[in-house]
Amino acid sequence: MSQVRNMSLGSDEIDENLIALAPVPTNKLQAQAIEVRAHRVNWQSYLQGQMIQAQDFEVIREFDLAKTPEARKEILDRRGDECARTFISLMTRISKEQTVRYVLTAVDDLLTEDRQRTQLFCDSNNKKRLSPWVGFMNMLNRTDRFIVHQASRIISKLACWSKERMSSHDLTYYLNWIKTQLSNEVTDFVQSILSCLQMMLRVKEYREAFFNMDGMTSLQSLLYTKCGFQLQYQTIFCIWLITFSPELCDRMVQYNSVPVLADILAEAAKEKVTRIILGTFRNLIDKPVENDTVKVFSQAMIHFKVLKQLEILEGKQFADEDITNDVEFLTEHLSNCLQDLSSFDEYVSEVKSRRLEWSPVHKSEKFWRENAARLNEKNYELLKILTSLMETSQDPDILAVATHDIGEYVRHYPRGKKVIDQLGLKQLVMQLLAHENAQVKYCALIAVQKLMVHNWEYLGKQLTSG
């Protein structure tokens, strides 16, 4: 992997050899493919029933007799154009699922054996002014899942391995289909779809298109389902591929990816999962165009205790030298950032992570006295995040901390009450007075008192005497 990385780091394009790092997992689809290959189609009956043409019969019969990759190569070298045309013709003329399964598996196999064969389908369809994947796209609407996913595998190979790139219309359709399939509860099929996406995202234009249709949300939603390590690996692999585009790295800040990746890193039992997370973290530091983006990601990694995990990893032996290199790189970078990290930087990172906890800054009188006014920066960005958390979070600790912070902001910023009214926060605080959690209710009560009372010393005495 290190050699591949060295070839890739300086470019937005990802070397095609990276695909070798992501083998398709063993699953039901593979088991079904073995059964399909063993099936013998009675092509003679299709010919007699005039369902296929004589030329297609001749080609497919000869291809069927080729039992080895070498034999298939000889036929494809000699009459590759005819084979491609025949496979496309059979798909459009035959509706029987078992036969369509056989045709698709044969096409997938011949492309897997030699990716240059994608050009056969390009040349065949170009004569009809059609895209090479158009016939296979129609298969995505079939009810047979094996057919659907074999077609998807072929589409991704044609889209990535051929010289022709998908049009905006076809790409949008296919990537939207992938997004829909990612919510499928059948694990084996999700693995298959992720394998297709892993291939698609190696192409810069495809990465950008997937990102622009909010693909990151689909990927992170999958990670939050507590899926098994194989799905974790494939999903994070997709995120890792996205991080090879510097402009997308800058835009990834909005998706708050570090917390879930840090959580998985802390629990990862498989070396390949650890490797791909560290590679993603390194890209999030190496790739962004904006220095502010690097700062946000670095602070988030520090806040979510990545340095602690790196310390643990330093004491382990790994077969993959990339892990060791990434651990060293990240440790040095984050340690340097930690030295420069102010208490306000720490607070910003925590709020933006949307996972508030009772860290020391929240209850520091000095912190609020010095930094309350800074919550107004960037058009009240931090206050708006606190507002969102109070509106949507179901976590009592997050609600309690957010409410406490609103009270401290009002207490230490002279015009805080006016800002709070403008943002609608006062009403949210009042609503939390009726919250079922005692801590939330208490913090809301204190915040309301800070909103109402001007004499803070008097309030302090009242609370003490109470």
Side-chain angles (χ1 to χ4, degrees):
M1 181 173 172
S2 58
Q3 189 176 17
V4 174
R5 168 179 290 151
N6 291 336
M7 291 191 294
S8 305
L9 280 178
S11 169
D12 287 345
E13 287 298 335
I14 298 175
D15 190 273
E16 61 189 21
N17 291 320
L18 284 172
I19 302 306
L21 298 174
V24 179
T26 302
N27 54 38
K28 292 180 181 178
L29 288 171
Q30 288 181 312
Q32 288 176 335
I34 294 172
E35 295 177 4
V36 170
R37 292 186 191 100
H39 178 70
R40 287 293 165 259
V41 180
N42 186 352
W43 298 114
Q44 186 71 42
S45 66
Y46 284 112
L47 179 63
Q48 291 173 347
Q50 297 184 331
M51 298 176 67
I52 63 174
Q53 298 176 347
Q55 185 180 5
D56 290 336
F57 170 75
E58 179 191 339
V59 171
I60 193 63
R61 184 175 63 174
E62 183 178 2
F63 192 87
D64 271 359
L65 293 174
K67 303 298 184 183
T68 65
E70 292 76 18
R72 286 190 289 272
K73 181 180 186 303
E74 191 278 327
I75 294 173
L76 289 166
D77 286 345
R78 178 165 41 87
R79 56 194 310 184
D81 290 342
E82 292 177 89
C83 289
R85 186 175 63 249
T86 292
F87 282 123
I88 295 171
S89 175
L90 294 176
M91 282 195 311
T92 56
R93 289 173 175 271
I94 297 174
S95 59
K96 187 176 180 181
E97 289 182 346
Q98 188 64 37
T99 304
V100 176
R101 283 181 167 204
Y102 182 82
V103 172
L104 290 175
T105 302
V107 173
D108 186 52
D109 286 346
L110 70 87
L111 293 179
T112 301
E113 288 171 1
D114 184 352
R115 63 184 61 186
Q116 298 300 322
R117 293 170 183 168
T118 54
Q119 198 59 39
L120 297 175
F121 292 89
C122 292
D123 294 341
S124 178
N125 274 10
N126 282 343
K127 294 174 183 177
K128 306 174 187 177
R129 296 185 178 180
L130 295 173
S131 298
W133 41 76
V134 62
F136 301 102
M137 293 274 255
N138 294 333
M139 295 286 164
L140 297 179
N141 296 318
R142 299 286 287 257
T143 55
D144 184 294
R145 284 186 172 176
F146 182 86
I147 289 176
V148 169
H149 289 275
Q150 283 293 75
S152 178
R153 283 167 55 84
I154 294 169
I155 291 168
S156 61
K157 289 171 182 175
L158 291 173
C160 296
W161 291 348
S162 69
K163 296 176 182 178
E164 187 172 341
R165 288 289 177 252
M166 273 190 167
S167 67
S168 177
H169 177 270
D170 288 346
L171 182 60
T172 299
Y173 177 85
Y174 183 51
L175 292 180
N176 270 321
W177 179 83
I178 285 179
K179 280 185 60 183
T180 302
Q181 296 300 307
L182 288 179
S183 61
N184 193 317
E185 295 180 358
V186 183
T187 302
D188 290 331
F189 295 133
V190 176
Q191 289 179 1
S192 173
I193 292 301
L194 282 171
S195 295
C196 295
L197 186 59
Q198 284 172 268
M199 190 172 293
M200 293 294 289
L201 294 181
R202 64 179 283 271
V203 179
K204 182 175 183 291
E205 306 94 280
Y206 299 167
R207 292 200 296 274
E208 292 173 350
F210 185 71
F211 190 93
N212 289 336
M213 60 176 63
D214 199 27
M216 279 294 298
T217 295
S218 298
L219 292 173
Q220 290 191 185
S221 295
L222 199 54
L223 291 178
Y224 280 115
T225 63
K226 301 296 181 183
C227 54
F229 78 87
Q230 179 59 39
L231 284 184
Q232 281 183 342
Y233 173 72
Q234 289 182 267
T235 304
I236 299 169
F237 194 103
C238 290
I239 295 174
W240 176 65
L241 291 174
I242 290 173
T243 64
F244 275 88
S245 292
E247 66 279 8
L248 298 186
C249 271
D250 286 315
R251 294 169 59 193
M252 278 180 67
V253 169
Q254 63 183 298
Y255 290 99
N256 194 29
S257 304
V258 171
V260 65
L261 294 178
D263 288 346
I264 295 172
L265 179 63
E267 300 173 357
K270 297 292 183 178
E271 184 171 310
K272 66 179 185 178
V273 176
T274 298
R275 177 184 64 184
I276 205 66
I277 293 175
L278 294 177
T280 302
F281 282 165
R282 180 165 187 160
N283 275 4
L284 291 177
I285 291 170
D286 262 346
K287 294 294 184 181
V289 177
E290 302 294 335
N291 289 331
D292 284 348
T293 302
V294 177
K295 183 177 180 180
V296 169
F297 284 134
S298 301
Q299 290 175 358
M301 292 178 203
I302 291 170
H303 177 71
F304 286 98
K305 301 176 177 58
V306 171
L307 268 171
K308 179 181 178 181
Q309 296 307 316
L310 293 173
E311 184 179 346
I312 294 172
L313 293 174
E314 280 183 325
K316 296 183 178 181
Q317 294 291 326
F318 296 101
D320 190 337
E321 64 178 20
D322 279 343
I323 294 182
T324 303
N325 292 337
D326 286 345
V327 168
E328 291 176 356
F329 172 87
L330 290 168
T331 299
E332 181 179 358
H333 174 81
L334 296 180
S335 297
N336 291 336
C337 290
L338 184 60
Q339 294 176 6
D340 299 330
L341 189 65
S342 68
S343 58
F344 186 71
D345 289 332
E346 182 184 345
Y347 180 77
V348 170
S349 178
E350 182 178 340
V351 173
K352 288 186 174 181
S353 76
R354 307 180 72 88
R355 288 166 63 169
L356 303 181
E357 56 188 45
W358 287 112
S359 55
V361 291
H362 297 284
K363 295 187 176 182
S364 167
E365 178 85 14
K366 181 176 182 290
F367 170 80
W368 287 108
R369 186 170 62 249
E370 295 176 352
N371 295 293
R374 298 194 65 182
L375 270 65
N376 301 330
E377 294 176 359
K378 297 183 180 179
N379 194 27
Y380 307 108
E381 179 185 23
L382 298 179
L383 286 173
K384 288 177 179 177
I385 295 175
L386 293 175
T387 302
S388 174
L389 290 173
M390 291 172 66
E391 289 175 330
T392 61
S393 180
Q394 303 297 314
D395 188 317
D397 284 338
I398 291 177
L399 291 174
V401 175
T403 306
H404 168 272
D405 288 2
I406 295 304
E408 289 297 275
Y409 167 75
V410 170
R411 177 184 175 190
H412 290 91
Y413 178 61
R415 296 187 295 279
K417 292 182 182 181
K418 183 178 180 181
V419 175
I420 293 303
D421 285 339
Q422 290 174 345
L423 296 176
L425 270 165
K426 183 176 180 180
Q427 183 179 358
L428 290 174
V429 174
M430 298 289 286
Q431 290 174 353
L432 291 177
L433 288 171
H435 197 276
E436 58 184 12
N437 181 272
Q439 183 188 33
V440 174
K441 190 183 299 184
Y442 175 78
C443 289
L445 175 62
I446 301 304
V448 168
Q449 290 177 319
K450 291 174 182 177
L451 283 165
M452 301 299 182
V453 178
H454 294 275
N455 190 328
W456 301 115
E457 292 183 5
Y458 172 77
L459 172 59
K461 292 177 181 178
Q462 291 294 104
L463 291 175
T464 303
S465 62

